[in-house]
Amino acid sequence: VYNAAPAWGLSVGDALALPEPVVTQHLHQHQGQTFSFLGIRVSSPLSLVVNGKRPPGSALAPPRLALSNPSALPE
């Protein structure tokens, strides 16, 4: 589950509901082989319903900011 906090997750046997999922067909070719699979996305882990309840706010991974200045890198 993208953007989920590392300490949060689902367990085998949990009932999962996906309100407003976006389903995408992926088709990739690599070294003569074709791989096809469906991807399901939701806007946030907080939009899921697990065992009839919404996950707590702590289920969402905190934002991270990474900055770089290519002109300041050592040569």
Side-chain angles (χ1 to χ4, degrees):
V1 177
Y2 293 111
N3 297 322
W8 182 83
L10 301 169
S11 297
V12 173
D14 281 348
L16 178 64
L18 306 169
E20 301 182 30
V22 176
V23 179
T24 305
Q25 175 72 44
H26 296 270
L27 181 62
H28 301 278
Q29 293 183 344
H30 179 70
Q31 297 180 347
Q33 293 185 317
T34 300
F35 301 91
S36 177
F37 58 93
L38 292 176
I40 302 173
R41 295 197 67 142
V42 293
S43 60
S44 162
L46 301 181
S47 68
L48 300 173
V49 178
V50 182
N51 299 325
K53 300 177 185 174
R54 297 275 183 181
S58 60
L60 187 61
R64 295 186 331 183
L65 178 63
L67 300 174
S68 67
N69 183 350
S71 62
L73 295 175
E75 294 184 24

